[in-house]
Amino acid sequence: MKKSPYKIKEPMGDRVFLSVVYVILAIVVLAMLYPFVYVVSVSISDPAEVIAGKVAFFPKGFDLGAFKTMINHPIFFTAYKNTIVYTALGTFFTLFFTAITAYPLSKDKFQMRSFLSKVYLITMFFGGGMIPTYLAYKSLGILDTIWVMVLPGALSAWNIILMRSFFRNIPESLSESAYIDGATDPQILVKIILPL
């Protein structure tokens, strides 16, 4: 590729501005990365050096005793199992409930579309509060169960708005042609809309 003989010279003000922006961004990146580096350094350092406060950035000594203690703890694998189960179930229920909620809201023929959209929008700005939320969970009988971790976050107004907007951008002619072929709304959602 041939290099252009003409070079646009940046004004001095632009170069100074970009330099200041790069310095600020570098400081922000270092401030965000330092806690992670510190945790890794502490986890592989000699415990005596950590207690003495000698570990700041680089590890002092080398000891994997913290990892051995962590892995040998009786609830270590239970905690990982719970993490995997909560993530899998949470993802499934979030996608399922968001899709079946956003699909009707994306259709102009759905008469309660405007009202329900406003109701979901209100929940983005106003929460029930911690105590009423706890009492609701208690009355539903989901305290101390897996469902208290999965179900409350399964339906998010923000996710509904995002998915509804995506569904509205899909050409209506796809749904109409499926209606002509005898497809129902659930079939259209599962076989046409979601694969897109």
Side-chain angles (χ1 to χ4, degrees), residues 39-177:
V39 167
V40 171
S41 296
V42 166
S43 69
I44 62 174
S45 294
D46 184 24
E49 301 284 342
V50 174
I51 292 170
K54 294 182 180 176
V55 178
F57 193 78
F58 295 106
K60 304 273 187 190
F62 185 75
D63 184 14
L64 295 177
F67 290 101
K68 291 176 187 171
T69 304
M70 179 181 68
I71 291 171
N72 290 330
H73 198 280
I75 67 165
F76 177 74
F77 290 105
T78 304
Y80 263 101
K81 179 196 71 144
N82 287 345
T83 300
I84 293 166
V85 169
Y86 295 158
T87 303
L89 284 176
T91 303
F92 172 77
F93 282 115
T94 299
L95 288 173
F96 176 75
F97 288 129
T98 303
I100 65 171
T101 304
Y103 180 69
L105 295 177
S106 69
K107 298 296 179 185
D108 291 330
K109 65 182 182 179
F110 182 55
Q111 294 175 349
M112 295 193 57
R113 179 174 58 93
S114 176
F115 172 74
L116 288 177
S117 294
K118 289 174 186 169
V119 167
Y120 287 124
L121 192 63
I122 288 171
T123 65
M124 288 179 66
F125 301 111
F126 303 103
M130 188 172 15
I131 294 173
T133 302
Y134 172 81
L135 293 174
Y137 296 164
K138 187 177 178 182
S139 67
L140 291 171
I142 61 172
L143 288 181
D144 296 326
T145 67
I146 192 174
W147 303 112
V148 78
M149 298 297 293
V150 172
L151 293 179
L155 200 58
S156 161
W158 175 251
N159 291 341
I160 291 171
I161 291 170
L162 283 177
M163 196 170 276
R164 181 195 67 187
S165 299
F166 174 75
F167 287 164
R168 286 185 72 81
N169 286 331
I170 295 174
E172 190 63 31
S173 57
L174 287 174
S175 299
E176 289 171 358
S177 63

Side-chain angles (χ1 to χ4, degrees), residues 11-38:
M12 184 65 168
D14 286 355
R15 283 187 278 169
V16 170
F17 175 76
L18 283 176
S19 300
V20 170
V21 168
Y22 290 147
V23 169
I24 291 172
L25 285 176
I27 292 169
V28 169
V29 166
L30 289 175
M32 292 173 65
L33 287 179
Y34 177 72
F36 296 106
V37 172
Y38 178 74

